Amino acid sequence: MKNKIYIVEDDVDISFILDYYLREEGFNVSVFGTVKEFKKAIKSSVPDLFLLDVMLPDGDGIAVCNQVKSDPQTSLLPVIMMSAHITDKYNIGCPAEEFIPKPFDLEKLLKRINYHLHISGPH
């Protein structure tokens, strides 16, 4: 069974690259450009991992992270935050498992995703 990843990212180019790359690596990926789209989707299906941008057009990934971590249904699921504007995990204000500064290396991101999903080697 494929691991499901929810990506909340408003940059179309980054979304496209992440979607394509992670699908090629065998993941089931859903991409959301807004917090509103994400909130609608999370009501019907829960992923195995969240990949969240900090700055979004209708909110921010920090609030989404805090929402995910405060919901008993999703509180134990891994959250990876991404940002070009924040430089370290301790400044993001949410209990994410990981922080990835942009721009990022796709192979390093994949290793972190595999780590949090307890996957060893290529997916």
Side-chain angles (χ1 to χ4, degrees), residues 22-33:
L22 293 173
R23 283 180 193 276
E24 286 292 307
E25 292 296 327
F27 293 99
N28 177 354
V29 179
S30 295
V31 178
F32 309 98

Side-chain angles (χ1 to χ4, degrees), residues 61-76:
I62 295 165
V64 173
C65 175
N66 286 321
Q67 173 193 338
V68 165
K69 289 299 187 179
S70 65
D71 184 331
Q73 187 179 8
T74 57
S75 64
L76 298 177

Side-chain angles (χ1 to χ4, degrees), residues 41-53:
I42 195 76
K43 290 177 184 176
S44 61
S45 178
V46 175
D48 300 297
L49 182 138
F50 299 89
L51 189 54
L52 309 174
D53 187 20

Side-chain angles (χ1 to χ4, degrees), residues 6-10 15 30-44 57-58:
Y6 274 10
I7 300 171
V8 185
E9 169 63 66
D10 62 320
S15 294
S30 295
V31 178
F32 309 98
T34 65
V35 173
K36 183 178 179 180
E37 290 172 12
F38 167 79
K39 284 185 176 182
K40 184 177 179 185
I42 195 76
K43 290 177 184 176
S44 61
D58 62 339

